[in-house]
Every structure is written in structure tokens, then in C-alpha cells.
Amino acid sequence: MAQYPPIMKDKPVFLHGGDYNPDQWLNEKSTVWPRDMELAKKAGINTLSVGIFSWATLEPEEGRYTFEWLDEVMDMLAQNGIKAVLATPSGARPAWMAEKYPEVLRVTEDRRRNLFGERHNHCLTSPVYREKVRKMNTLLAERYKDHPALGMWHISNEYGGECHCPLCQQRFRQWLKERYGTIDKLNDDWWNTFWSHRYSSFDQIESPSSIGESGSHGLNLAWKRFTTQQFCDFYSWEIEPLRRITPDVPCTTNLMHTYPGINYFELGRLLDRCSWDNYPQWTNDMRDAKVAAHSAFCHDLMRGVCGGKPYMLMESSPSCVNWQAVNRLRQPGILMLQSLQAVAHGSDTVQYFQFRKGRGSFEKFHGAVVSHDESEQNRVYREVCAVGEALAGLTPALGAAPENRIAVVYDWENRWALEDARFGLNTGKGYEETVRTHHTAFLRAGYGVDVIDETCDLAPYRVVCGPMTYMLRPGFAQRVRAFVEAGGTYISTYCSGWVNEEDLCFMGGFPGPLREVCGLWDEETDALDETQRNRFTWNGRSYEAKDFCAVVHPEGAQVLAAYEERFYQGAPALTVNAFGKGRCYYIAARTGEDFLCDLYAHVAKEAGLSPLLPALPSGVLCTERVGANGRFLFVMNTVPEARTVTLPACTDVQTGLMRKGDCTLGAYGVMAVRLA
Ligand code: GLA
Ligand code: ZN
């Protein structure tokens, strides 16, 4: 049982708040700011994120600082009992800086320097930008270090993209020198004899580009690893003065679930708490079961990148967004579901983008707690108030964390290599969707799931599933082996164990270093287009195989199902291999969710696990958080139809009423109970 301290030590409650831009209302601050405070408090809002894009208002001209408005905002927050998640403003810079120091502007992969504008587009290397950021962050920390409103640091905003400027090229070459040592080692690791691509000096290397090299997988992979390091380094640079001046104030930066450009397991290690921005595309119909399962995966992943600690839902829309193709309203009930789903997976906060809608520019019609009507009567505001109340009622669960015994592997480096590789389906390898389908299958069987990557410890788990682990990163195969030997159940699939960490193929037969534990040789892989299917039968039920069908030969593994069509009819589609005290399954083909649900219900039971709730009705998900105040079960109906679940003896956390037996949840209904 792990009980974590509150994120802000003097606010031992669920944090409820959002991005707040009082600097957009300086001309009307005497009326707008007090109204904001009134509306925030009525909605149970206890934290607001300020200063995220405020650089131009904090330093309107180089070296002329205007912190007075922020002083006033911080004082106002403190007077109203609201904590500030105070941002460093590096997510967007003032025009004067771009004009005077063009090096701060990012260069795109086709080697064009951006003009001033937009956001999230600064050079990651530029010494000028770094110096300006360091100065600004130092001033913020010194000014507010003892301010009672300061609760947390929000570093920049949604780090992302990449810069290909000459300064970044230099840094990339330096990084390559450190990683590979000699140019020959790099040439060999990247297989550069191919197409005569051997370099004779590190100085010849350029980042991948559509006008230069884009087909060198070693280069592409190295660039992505380097970009991750650039962000980790930039983050460390940003927090240095904050750590020094305000050592007790936690730092985070808001992540974007499976954003492909940064290996979040690396960046996550640097964060005190993970925080992320969730914008599910709810449809107000039965498809929401899928939308909710997708969000569930993202929550589990985000919890995983920071080591399983309670995390923060830093942004979510209280209503529609303004950037999806179809920006639907959320029908009543969805905001509560979306918010408590975060809590159910381990978030200790529910925060929104945005607190108040601006009058102008790009996000003026994005959902907000306070709309242009400034009314307390509108539906969205009233729903936010209800979330505030619900969060207050959940305080006993604060700091509790899931204790899952099942993990699914989602690995950024594997994804990069797999998606870059040319074979099978070049229309898309479907890695993310595949991992999500495996994750969903465990959820539907009633289990909580952790999402880990190939570098994580497997010891806490009874069942680990590694779909499409095309790249085996150093030590992973050995850890899988030790895990199975000690009694664990591992599930491997087609397209696993093909390449090492440099994207060089394993010789001697796939799945390479996993071959012995899987007890088979994976000889070749067929690709099927969307009209083609194969079939197999397991446990008396017939299932379809699609997209990828591997042809494998058992070397000790027992065959549980075989293909029924095509020239490899009779070859195994599903095997299990007894190894040490454990076992390893191999799913040779991509299947539908139906098969995985059936298989995983069986596998989990066989591994000695029991579901959180038996026989979950379709569309219902559940999770558990365990802490000093007990075991909290969250039951979520993710569809707009009522659903009945059967509960063990428990107490409703909100009402204190005892419950046992059948219990009906209305459309999108959520319940949190404490188990007896
Ligand atoms: C992102 C950003 C916010 C805002 C929202 C809109 O998450 O971090 O600044 O633009 O999107 O949905
Ligand atoms: Zn650059």
C-alpha cells in the first residue's frame, strides 16, 4: 500500500482549477478579476495556473520587467484561498526577442527559419534563449519564493517539436560523438555502407530532412533520442533556479499522452509529478465506450511515466474544444465522468483549460468554466460546481494509488523504430492502437492495468504483455526471462524481437533474444490488406486474424490454436510455453478485441488474479486506488444507457451509504466506493 503526500503540502485536498489568464483582462481588472474570484470559489476551485503565456506582459521590453500585475494576481489568489500553479513563460516569447535575436526562432526540418508567431517553437539550443529563460525563471522564483499563493511550478507548456538550426546541428553532432565515440562505430551501427552513406567525419552529419537524408533509420532514431535529450536538458535548465530558490515547491510540465516526439518515460523521470492534458473526443453515443477506454489508456500511461505516483490532470475542457473537426458539446454527465475517470486512475487533480474564455483570438470559443455570459446559471458552470463538490467528497482517497498486477508495455523507442521500418503494412503498423487494444482487453475483463516501457521493473507484476516489441532495448529480454522463470506470465506477439537498440536485425531467427522464453521460431510474417482475413479457433470459439499473421514453428511451445486459411493453414496462431515457474504466450497474428478479452480473462485467472468486479457489463470500466484510508473502487458507466453492476459490501464515498449487490448507474454515471 502506498500513500503519497498531497501535491501541495498545505492543500491536502483534490486540486480543482485550470489555466487562468488574468493578464488578458488588465484593462478591466477592477471588474473582471473580482468576478473571477467569486465564480472560482463558488465552483470549489482551489488552484489556478497563471503566467503560462505571459512573457510579453512580464517583460514588455528587454530588461524592463513589469511583475506588478502578477504580484496583484498572486495576492488576490492568496486572499481567496486559491493556490497558484505558477508557470515559466518559455512556451511563447515576446516579439522584441525574436526581432533582436533571430537565433531563438526555430528552424524547420526543410531548413527554413520561422518568423515570429504562434508558440511552442523556440530553439532548444540557443544560448540567448536559455539565458533569457534562466533570468526570467530566477526572477520569478526570487519574487514569489515566500508568497503564500505559490503551490507549484508549471514549466513552460506542452514541450514539443524540434529545431534544425545550425546551433542544434552542432549539438546533435556533439551528442553523436559522445554516444558512438568514433565515426566508424556510428557508420556500422547505422548500416551506412548501404547506398554509400558512410560518413568520414561527424561534421558531415545533418539532422533528418526531406531535402536531405530521411531513409537512414539509424539517423532517424538517433535524432529522436537526441530531441528527447534536448527537452530533458531544457527542462533541467528551466528548473535549476526554481530548485535552488524554492526547493520545496514541486515542478511539472504538462505532457500530451502518446505525443510521439519525446520519450516521456525519460522526461517523466525528471518531473516531481506527472501532469497531462486530456481532450477526449466524446461523441454522446455508444461509441463513447471506446473513447473512455482510450482515455483510460492515456491515464495509465501518464501515471506510468512518472513511476506510478498520483499525477495531475492539468488540462481538460469543461465543455467542447475548438480545434477538433467536430466540436461537440458534452451531454450532461460527461464532464463528471471525464473528471472522475482521471481520479479513478490516480490523478489528484481535475484542472481545465480554461478558466475564462478570452474575448478575442484563437481560443475565444474554446470551452471554459466562465463563458462570455459570465453567468452562474449556464449548464457548464453548474456542472463544474458539481465536479468541485464531488472532489471535496473524495478527499479520503487523496494520495492513494493503484496497485495493479498487470502491465502492458508501450515503448517510445520501439514505436519510433517500428514505424520507420519498411515491411508488411506501410500504411501504418498500428503500434499505439494495438497496445491500446491489449490494454482495453484487460480493462474489460475487470482488471486495473499499468503501462510501462521496456526499461521498467517487471517485478511488481504477475502478468506482463508486450505487444509488437519489435525493438528489444538493452536488458529487456533478460528481464522478461527472469520474470517468467520466477513464475510470471508474459505475452508476446507477432513483430517482436526483430531488432536491437540500434535498429539492427537480430541474426539467427526471430524473436531473437525472446526465442527461448517464447519457445518458438517466428519465421516470416504475412501482411493482409483491409479486405483480407484469416481465422483460428480457440476454446471452441472462432476468431479472425488480420493485418499481420506470423508463421511460427514451436520449439517447445504448446499450440493452442492454428490458422484455418491460406498457405500457412495449420501453423500456430496462439502458443504457450512453460518456462521456469511461469509461462509465455505468443499471439502470432493481430486479432480483434473480442479474442483478447476472452484470452486475458483466462490468462489473468490462470495467473491467480481476480477481477475488481466480476462480469462487468459492456461499457462499464473500473479501477482501484489503495491508500491509508482503505481501498477505493471506482465504477464508471461510459455509455449513455443505464448499466447494472454487482457490488461487494462497500460504502459510497460521497454519501456514506452502505451498498451491496446490484446497483444501477445511469447514463455516464460514476460511483466511488470504499471496500469493506
Ligand atoms: C493545449 C494547450 C492549451 C490550449 C489547449 C486547447 O492543451 O496547452 O494552451 O491551447 O490545448 O485545447
Ligand atoms: Zn535550434
Side-chain angles (χ1 to χ4, degrees):
M1 186 273 295
Q3 175 67 39
Y4 291 87
I7 294 171
M8 298 176 189
K9 59 177 184 309
D10 50 349
K11 264 281 184 234
V13 289
F14 281 94
L15 301 179
H16 186 216
D19 284 21
Y20 178 42
N21 303 302
D23 40 331
Q24 291 176 14
W25 301 90
L26 286 177
N27 297 336
E28 285 134 289
K29 67 177 184 182
S30 61
T31 52
V32 170
W33 292 6
R35 180 71 178 142
D36 285 339
M37 292 301 101
E38 193 185 335
L39 290 167
K41 283 192 290 184
K42 280 193 179 151
I45 282 179
N46 51 29
T47 174
L48 287 166
S49 309
V50 288
I52 298 176
F53 295 111
S54 298
W55 202 327
T57 325
L58 292 170
E59 191 183 358
E61 286 164 35
E62 187 169 22
R64 183 166 74 81
Y65 297 98
T66 46
F67 286 104
E68 296 73 20
W69 68 268
L70 186 55
D71 297 347
E72 261 183 82
V73 168
M74 293 291 278
D75 292 351
M76 173 176 81
L77 294 180
Q79 277 151 23
N80 287 281
I82 295 173
K83 281 280 178 184
V85 176
L86 183 55
T88 66
S90 68
R93 77 198 83 71
W96 60 256
M97 200 191 296
E99 184 184 39
K100 181 157 180 204
Y101 308 103
E103 72 166 53
V104 305
L105 298 167
R106 212 169 260 189
V107 170
T108 55
E109 62 77 22
D110 55 357
R111 308 306 192 252
R112 283 187 303 175
R113 198 175 285 278
N114 287 337
L115 299 178
F116 172 73
E118 303 289 341
R119 57 176 176 171
H120 304 153
N121 52 11
H122 61 84
C123 170
L124 292 158
T125 306
S126 160
V128 170
Y129 200 61
R130 285 188 176 228
E131 186 206 306
K132 295 286 178 205
V133 165
R134 181 60 70 80
K135 179 90 204 274
M136 173 55 77
N137 294 5
T138 306
L139 289 173
L140 283 168
E142 274 165 356
R143 195 165 185 107
Y144 300 112
K145 63 177 190 286
D146 297 319
H147 200 287
L150 180 64
M152 183 157 199
W153 291 107
H154 182 297
I155 309 305
S156 201
N157 191 65
E158 294 190 337
Y159 278 144
E162 46 192 45
C163 179
H164 296 258
C165 80
L167 293 168
C168 288
Q169 301 291 348
Q170 282 302 335
R171 209 173 160 99
F172 180 43
R173 291 178 195 125
Q174 190 52 40
W175 181 86
L176 290 171
K177 267 185 214 158
E178 281 157 26
R179 181 177 171 100
Y180 295 95
T182 67
I183 197 68
D184 278 342
K185 168 89 166 86
L186 178 146
N187 281 321
D188 293 345
D189 280 351
W190 293 5
W191 209 249
N192 277 346
T193 308
F194 179 76
W195 287 349
S196 220
H197 282 182
R198 289 188 84 87
Y199 302 104
S200 50
S201 148
F202 281 96
D203 297 336
Q204 295 158 348
I205 304 177
E206 285 273 344
S207 62
S209 168
S210 56
I211 56 167
E213 182 73 276
S214 66
S216 166
H217 293 168
L219 170 69
N220 294 346
L221 190 58
W223 174 250
K224 291 198 163 74
R225 286 179 172 142
F226 166 73
T227 299
T228 290
Q229 285 322 307
Q230 285 277 78
F231 280 109
C232 289
D233 189 66
F234 200 88
Y235 179 83
S236 304
W237 176 268
E238 285 219 41
I239 68 167
E240 189 279 332
L242 313 178
R243 278 272 188 273
R244 191 161 35 79
I245 302 163
T246 59
D248 297 332
V249 181
C251 298
T252 189
T253 184
N254 48 338
L255 309 181
M256 301 174 279
H257 50 101
T258 55
Y259 169 70
I262 301 175
N263 180 352
Y264 279 159
F265 277 94
E266 301 244 340
L267 183 56
R269 288 192 184 102
L270 306 178
L271 313 182
D272 294 322
R273 295 294 175 115
C274 176
S275 69
W276 77 287
D277 303 342
N278 187 25
Y279 294 100
Q281 312 216 11
W282 300 107
T283 51
N284 300 325
D285 56 33
M286 295 304 280
R287 289 174 294 174
D288 281 337
K290 260 193 179 310
V291 178
H294 187 159
S295 273
F297 172 77
C298 297
H299 281 294
D300 289 339
L301 174 66
M302 295 289 89
R303 189 182 67 250
V305 302
C306 201
K309 286 179 254 181
Y311 58 93
M312 307 176 76
L313 174 62
M314 187 63 94
E315 290 181 23
S316 60
S317 178
S319 171
C320 54
V321 295
N322 69 334
W323 48 264
Q324 286 165 358
V326 179
N327 298 288
R328 290 182 190 82
L329 295 178
R330 274 99 201 248
Q331 80 171 59
I334 290 187
L335 178 64
M336 185 66 84
L337 169 68
Q338 168 183 291
S339 303
L340 297 195
Q341 189 184 23
V343 172
H345 285 263
S347 177
D348 274 356
T349 81
V350 172
Q351 292 156 277
Y352 310 109
F353 181 89
Q354 48 194 338
F355 178 71
R356 179 190 269 273
K357 284 182 194 175
R359 282 190 74 187
S361 209
F362 194 74
E363 288 177 328
K364 60 183 173 296
F365 297 122
H366 190 291
V369 177
V370 179
S371 192
H372 298 126
D373 58 25
E374 300 182 292
S375 165
E376 295 163 40
Q377 302 309 322
N378 71 50
R379 181 177 66 90
V380 171
Y381 180 79
R382 283 183 285 121
E383 288 186 21
V384 170
C385 293
V387 172
E389 264 175 54
L391 291 175
L394 285 169
T395 309
L398 187 79
E403 273 181 359
N404 299 321
R405 293 287 164 258
I406 297 176
V408 170
V409 178
Y410 179 85
D411 190 284
W412 261 266
E413 296 205 350
N414 177 56
R415 174 183 174 166
W416 294 334
L418 177 62
E419 285 179 352
D420 214 13
R422 304 290 90 185
F423 72 88
L425 294 177
N426 285 334
T427 45
K429 306 289 190 292
Y431 176 64
E432 181 190 325
E433 203 188 328
T434 298
V435 178
R436 281 201 271 115
T437 309
H438 286 257
H439 175 269
T440 302
F442 283 115
L443 289 189
R444 300 236 182 275
Y447 294 90
V449 187
D450 281 1
V451 181
I452 59 175
D453 82 346
E454 291 187 17
T455 66
C456 296
D457 185 12
L458 306 182
Y461 304 108
R462 304 282 283 276
V463 177
V464 174
C465 165
M468 302 182 86
T469 56
Y470 164 81
M471 170 185 281
L472 298 180
R473 298 176 59 192
F476 180 61
Q478 289 81 335
R479 274 181 291 112
V480 167
R481 201 189 154 99
F483 168 74
V484 177
E485 243 165 9
T489 300
Y490 185 76
I491 299 137
S492 188
T493 73
Y494 59 93
C495 295
S496 289
W498 288 24
V499 301
N500 70 8
E501 75 277 14
E502 290 299 338
D503 204 17
L504 291 172
C505 292
F506 290 118
M507 302 302 289
F510 299 156
L514 288 177
R515 184 166 171 176
E516 214 186 320
V517 70
C518 293
L520 54 77
W521 166 40
D522 185 333
E523 185 192 354
E524 53 182 350
T525 303
D526 195 12
L528 276 56
D529 70 32
E530 67 262 11
T531 67
Q532 298 176 309
R533 292 289 182 270
N534 205 324
R535 296 205 74 81
F536 61 96
T537 303
W538 176 69
N539 248 353
R541 261 189 82 179
S542 168
Y543 301 96
E544 66 175 22
K546 58 184 181 181
D547 300 349
F548 288 104
C549 293
V551 182
V552 308
H553 305 275
E555 294 172 335
Q558 183 194 342
V559 180
L560 301 177
Y563 292 114
E564 289 161 5
E565 289 165 24
R566 301 186 184 268
F567 70 91
Y568 40 93
Q569 181 183 29
L574 176 70
T575 63
V576 64
N577 188 42
F579 190 83
K581 292 187 191 143
R583 52 173 73 82
C584 179
Y585 284 86
Y586 201 83
I587 307 172
R590 184 172 287 164
T591 71
E593 196 180 296
D594 58 341
F595 167 70
L596 296 176
C597 287
D598 292 346
L599 178 69
Y600 289 164
H602 165 83
V603 164
K605 220 170 142 196
E606 183 185 58
L609 301 172
S610 344
L612 295 169
L613 278 181
L616 277 186
S618 67
V620 176
L621 297 174
C622 59
T623 62
E624 191 184 52
R625 293 179 67 165
V626 186
N629 297 321
R631 307 182 83 85
F632 298 89
L633 181 71
F634 293 82
V635 190
M636 296 157 273
N637 178 9
T638 68
V639 291
E641 281 178 359
R643 289 286 184 266
T644 300
V645 294
T646 311
L647 295 175
C650 58
T651 324
D652 189 306
V653 182
Q654 301 284 357
T655 63
L657 295 174
M658 302 283 287
R659 286 183 185 277
K660 188 174 183 331
D662 284 1
C663 171
T664 299
L665 291 165
Y668 299 112
V670 196
M671 199 173 32
V673 298
R674 195 191 318 223
L675 297 174

